[in-house]
Each structure stands twice: as C-alpha cells, then as structure tokens.
Amino acid sequence: MPGNDVNEELSRLVARRVAGLSMVRGVRTFPPAKPDRVVARLEREHYPPVVEDVTVDFRFARADEFNVVYVEHWSGETWSCRWDRHENPHSDRDHFHPPPDPNNASRDALAAVYPDGQSAVVGVVFDALRERYTALWENPDEPTYPSESGFDPGDGDWPFLGD
C-alpha cells in the first residue's frame, strides 16, 4: 500500500501511460519492495549488451512533488540519475542529481526547469532516456563504463537544466 502522501491516482495513470511505450518491458505499481513507487523495467534491445538491466522508478506525492530514479545495471557497475521536485535546504525545488551517481555527496544537485504538473515530467524523463540510449549505441564496441564517465550539463542532452 502506498504511503499517505503518495498521489495514488496519478501514479496509476502514469503506470498505464508508461506501460504503453515501446521501450518499456513491464511496469509494476506499488511493488512490495517499493510500495510508494511505479517501477518500469525497460526493454534490453534498446541498449548495448553490456547494459544488463534498466529501470525507472516514479514517485508522485500529493504536494506537486516527484522523484524519478533511472538506473542502468552494467557488469558490476551502475549508471544512475535522478529528477526531483521537492522543498529542501540544499538546492532549488526543481533539481537534477546527475549521473553516474546521483547520491554522490561531493556533487551538488543542479537547478532544473520542469514543466508544470507532475505527469509532464514523464515526457522530460523519457526524452532524456532516448538521448541516453542513442548515445550508448554510438560506440557499442567500446562503451564508456559508469566508473569512467563524466557529466557535462552543457552537452545538449539535458535541456531541462537551468542556466
């Protein structure tokens, strides 16, 4: 059962919308391990073989807040990023935690500009994911592993980032 602040109606709507995308293999709404989230598992065929599994977790709260976590599982490594809208003392209300490790305490979240309405962020996220898997296919025989990757907010793949 989702938590008290979870926007259950919106979460179920997003689950149905995301389940219809060709890049999505399956969607679970409020699974036991993540009872406040919608978890989408993406199709492997969109990624080079070195990427073993890909998930996107969505959490929508009633206070027009959200948290979206994208994770790629590589051979023993992960590449991840996170889109957030919530009040906090360390960054703007709308912010982005960049890859490859959004939990890296030595790197600040970046100011972001997301569209109004929580469900609109789904489009922002999937636009970024299409850019991501397209970039991975540019050189699939010599992939840049998460431990080797850097992050350049000015590379054009992140149009939602503030200036």
Side-chain angles (χ1 to χ4, degrees), residues 41-150:
R41 180 156 268 113
L42 303 189
E43 288 287 355
R44 287 270 311 108
E45 67 192 31
H46 290 284
Y47 293 85
V50 70
V51 180
E52 299 166 342
D53 191 39
V54 183
T55 58
V56 186
D57 297 0
F58 298 91
R59 183 184 190 285
F60 298 101
R62 289 183 220 191
D64 192 35
E65 296 179 343
F66 60 78
N67 168 261
V68 181
V69 180
Y70 171 75
V71 181
E72 295 171 0
H73 296 277
W74 292 54
S75 305
E77 298 186 27
T78 59
W79 191 97
S80 183
C81 57
R82 189 172 77 230
W83 294 259
D84 289 321
R85 173 180 287 156
H86 61 90
E87 298 298 334
N88 64 73
H90 60 82
S91 61
D92 292 357
R93 185 171 197 273
D94 284 7
H95 56 279
F96 176 72
H97 295 269
D101 179 6
N103 299 317
N104 183 340
S106 69
R107 196 168 37 179
D108 292 335
L110 303 171
V113 179
Y114 302 128
D116 291 337
Q118 295 169 292
S119 64
V121 77
V122 175
V124 169
V125 168
F126 277 95
D127 286 347
L129 300 188
R130 284 183 196 91
E131 292 288 333
R132 171 67 180 160
Y133 71 68
T134 299
L136 287 172
W137 280 108
E138 288 176 3
N139 198 0
D141 295 330
E142 295 181 28
T144 302
Y145 278 78
S147 59
E148 302 167 338
S149 68

Side-chain angles (χ1 to χ4, degrees), residues 13-27 126 130:
L13 176 72
V14 167
R16 287 190 301 273
R17 178 179 168 198
V18 168
L21 298 174
S22 63
M23 65 189 297
V24 175
R25 182 174 63 195
V27 175
F126 277 95
R130 284 183 196 91

